Amino acid sequence: MAQPLTLDNVSLALEGRAILHGLTLTAQERRIGIVGRNGSGKSTLARVIAGLHAPDAGQVRLFGVDVARDRKAAIRTVGILFQNPDHQIIFPTVDEEIAFGLTQLGQSKAEAAEGVRAILQDFGKAHWQGAAVHPLSQGQKQLLCLMAILAMRPRLIVLDEPLSGLDIPTRMQLTRYLERVEAHLLHISHDPATLAGYDRVIWIADGRIAQDGPARDVLGAYIADMERLGGMDDISDLAG
C-alpha cells in the first residue's frame, strides 16, 4: 500500500540559492506538523509537496503519485491552503471560486454547481451562494479557500501557515473547521502552539530535518532552541 507521503532525497535551489537539502522521510500519520523559523525552507517544502515546485533532485510521492510529474493525478490528490487567501482566490464570486477546481477535475457546469451547493450546505454557509468575494473578511476568505479545496476531495491538504495574521477568535473558528477535515493534513507553522495536538512534528532548519518525532518531544526541543536563539543577537547578521 502506497504511503500518504514519501520524500526521497529531495533537494531544491531557487535563484541560485540552495533551499532544501536531501530531505528523506516517509509519513502515514493523519496530522503532521512542520515547524521551523522564518526562512528555514518550510513554505518552499509546502510548495514542493503540493507539486507547485518540482525538486531539482529526488522525488515526492503522495499516495503513490509523483506530484511533480503527474499533475492530472496531483490535483485529485493534494490541495494547498496559503497564508494569504488573496494570493489564492482568483474569481469575483464565491460560487465561481469553488466551482473552478471542480471543473478542473472534469465536472460539467451542472455538476460543479451542485458541488458548490453541497459544500456550502455542509459548512452551514448556504447563504454565501452568489456572494461577492471582495467584501469578505480575511478569515472568511480563508474559509472560502478551504471549502474550495475540500470540494475537490483531495487525500492530503497542505496548510502553509493559514492561521498567521488572524485574530484569536478567527483562529479558533478556523481551527474548528480544520479539526473536522477527514483528509490527511500537513500543517506548516513557526508557532508550536498550533501543532501541539498533532500526531507527528518535523522540525526544519536551514532546509534540513533537525528533528522528527512525537509533537511533545520535537516541539519541546524546538521551543528550547528558539529561546536560546532569542537570547542572542542573530537579527544583526546580514545575509551573505
Side-chain angles (χ1 to χ4, degrees):
M1 181 177 178
Q3 295 287 340
L5 170 62
T6 301
L7 303 182
D8 183 10
N9 200 30
V10 170
S11 296
L12 177 68
L14 296 174
E15 298 180 352
R17 176 172 170 257
I19 307 295
L20 304 177
H21 305 269
L23 299 181
T24 295
L25 65 88
T26 299
Q28 59 185 5
E29 294 84 357
R30 290 192 64 243
R31 298 291 188 269
I32 301 170
I34 295 183
V35 69
R37 294 187 73 185
N38 293 339
S40 62
K42 304 186 308 298
S43 289
T44 300
L45 178 58
R47 285 160 173 75
V48 169
I49 291 173
L52 302 182
H53 284 319
D56 296 327
Q59 187 180 61
V60 178
R61 299 187 75 86
L62 304 179
F63 298 94
V65 174
D66 184 332
V67 293
R69 294 179 178 273
D70 190 347
R71 293 303 300 155
K72 185 175 181 180
I75 64 172
R76 297 178 178 275
T77 305
V78 60
I80 183 169
L81 189 63
F82 293 116
Q83 178 177 343
N84 187 344
D86 291 325
H87 295 165
Q88 188 153 357
I89 294 172
I90 57 177
F91 289 97
T93 69
V94 167
D95 300 52
E96 290 173 293
E97 185 64 29
I98 298 174
F100 175 71
L102 299 176
T103 58
Q104 293 300 296
L105 294 177
Q107 294 187 15
S108 67
K109 288 185 178 180
E111 290 170 330
E114 175 56 26
V116 171
R117 186 204 63 77
I119 196 70
L120 290 174
Q121 184 71 32
D122 185 47
F123 275 78
K125 300 293 182 287
H127 59 292
W128 285 24
Q129 193 153 5
V133 168
H134 70 84
L136 299 180
S137 70
Q138 197 77 348
Q140 289 172 328
K141 289 178 180 178
Q142 201 64 285
L143 178 57
L144 170 59
C145 291
L146 177 61
M147 290 191 292
I149 292 168
L150 291 175
M152 298 174 69
R153 299 183 179 179
R155 301 179 70 180
L156 183 143
I157 299 174
V158 178
L159 308 172
D160 187 10
E161 305 214 45
L163 305 179
S164 179
L166 300 177
D167 60 32
I168 292 173
T170 305
R171 285 170 60 98
M172 292 174 64
Q173 292 167 38
L174 282 174
T175 296
R176 287 199 299 272
Y177 284 120
L178 290 171
E179 286 172 348
R180 59 182 280 191
V181 171
E182 295 181 359
H184 288 250
L185 292 183
L186 184 74
H187 194 153
I188 312 291
S189 182
H190 67 274
D191 179 8
T194 302
L195 307 176
Y198 274 56
D199 303 318
R200 175 179 174 182
V201 172
I202 300 161
W203 172 9
I204 299 293
D206 297 323
R208 297 177 173 86
I209 297 174
Q211 191 169 336
D212 178 2
R216 176 180 294 183
D217 296 345
V218 176
L219 294 177
Y222 173 74
I223 291 170
D225 196 53
M226 295 305 101
E227 291 175 345
R228 177 186 65 82
L229 292 172
M232 300 168 62
D233 190 26
D234 69 346
I235 199 171
S236 297
D237 298 337
L238 298 177

